C-alpha cells in the first residue's frame, strides 16, 4: 500500500502536452483578435472621418446590403474552409473581413462620440494584446474560466487607465 500513487500515470504526459497545445492555440487566437480589432478600428475611423464615403454608403441601401452580405459570406467561407486554405490566403481573407467589419460598423459608430468608440476599441484590443503577451510569457495554461476572468480584470484596469485620460464618467470607478 505504501507504493500506491494517487495520480494516474496515463494523465501526466498527455495532459501537459494537451495543455501546452491549448495554451499555444489561445495565445495565437488572442494575437489575431488583437490584430483584427486594430484593422477594424483603423478602417472604421477612416470611413467615419470621410463624409463622402459615409454619404455614399448611407444613401445607397444596395451598397450597404452588399457590404453586409459580403461580410457574412466571408464568415461562412472562412468557417468552412479555414483548414484547407493556404496560410497567406487565410490571413488575407481575415484582414479583408476585419476591414469589411470596420466599414459596416463605421455607420453605427457615428451615433456615438469619438471618445467612446476609441475607448472601446483601445480597451478591447488592449485586452487581447495583453492576453497574447501573457500567453507568450507564462507557462500557465490559458484554458479554463480563470483566464477569462483574468481577461476581464485586464479590461477593467485598461478601462480605468483610459478613463483617466478621456475623463469619461462611465469609466470612473
Amino acid at each position: 500500500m505504501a507504493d500506491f500513487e494517487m495520480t494516474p500515470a496515463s494523465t501526466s504526459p498527455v495532459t501537459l502536452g494537451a495543455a501546452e497545445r491549448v495554451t499555444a492555440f489561445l495565445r495565437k487566437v488572442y494575437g489575431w483578435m488583437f490584430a483584427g480589432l486594430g484593422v477594424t478600428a483603423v478602417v472604421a475611423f477612416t470611413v467615419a472621418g470621410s463624409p463622402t464615403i459615409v454619404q455614399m454608403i448611407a444613401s445607397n441601401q444596395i451598397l450597404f446590403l452588399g457590404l453586409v452580405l459580403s461580410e457574412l459570406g466571408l464568415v461562412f467561407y472562412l468557417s468552412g474552409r479555414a483548414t484547407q486554405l493556404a496560410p497567406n490566403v487565410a490571413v488575407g481573407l481575415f484582414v479583408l473581413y476585419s476591414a469589411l467589419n470596420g466599414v459596416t460598423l463605421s455607420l453605427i459608430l457615428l451615433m456615438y462620440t469619438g471618445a467612446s468608440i476609441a475607448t472601446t476599441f483601445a480597451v478591447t484590443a488592449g485586452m487581447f494584446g495583453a492576453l497574447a503577451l501573457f500567453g507568450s510569457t507564462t507557462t500557465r495554461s490559458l484554458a479554463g474560466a480563470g483566464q477569462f476572468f483574468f481577461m476581464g480584470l485586464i479590461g477593467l484596469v485598461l478601462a480605468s487607465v483610459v478613463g483617466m485620460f478621456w475623463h469619461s464618467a462611465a469609466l470612473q470607478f
Side-chain angles (χ1 to χ4, degrees):
M1 279 292 194
D3 294 333
F4 182 71
E5 188 175 336
M6 295 297 287
T7 306
S10 63
T11 61
S12 298
V14 174
T15 304
L16 288 177
E20 289 173 2
R21 285 193 306 274
V22 168
T23 298
F25 174 76
L26 288 176
R27 180 176 54 237
K28 289 178 184 177
V29 167
Y30 293 145
W32 280 109
M33 285 302 298
F34 171 72
L37 283 168
V39 169
T40 299
V42 168
V43 170
F45 180 76
T46 303
V47 170
S50 172
T52 306
I53 297 174
V54 169
Q55 179 65 27
M56 182 176 59
I57 296 171
S59 65
N60 190 344
Q61 290 180 350
I62 294 173
L63 175 61
F64 183 73
L65 185 61
L67 289 169
V68 170
L69 290 177
S70 298
E71 188 177 356
L72 287 172
L74 197 52
V75 167
F76 289 124
Y77 182 78
L78 280 171
S79 297
R81 298 246 174 140
T83 58
Q84 301 165 350
L85 293 173
N88 291 340
V89 173
V91 167
L93 290 175
F94 177 72
V95 171
L96 176 64
Y97 167 75
S98 298
L100 278 173
N101 203 11
V103 171
T104 56
L105 287 177
S106 65
L107 297 179
I108 297 168
L109 299 178
L110 289 174
M111 294 188 292
Y112 300 97
T113 65
S116 67
I117 295 165
T119 301
T120 302
F121 275 118
V123 170
T124 307
M127 282 178 16
F128 283 110
L131 279 174
L133 181 65
F134 176 71
S136 298
T137 58
T138 188
T139 58
R140 293 177 57 189
S141 172
L142 296 179
Q147 302 314 317
F148 290 102
F149 293 139
F150 181 68
M151 183 178 173
L153 176 64
I154 289 172
L156 286 174
V157 169
L158 285 172
S160 298
V161 170
V162 168
M164 286 189 290
F165 295 106
W166 263 296
H167 303 294
S168 171
L171 296 176
Q172 301 300 318
F173 297 110

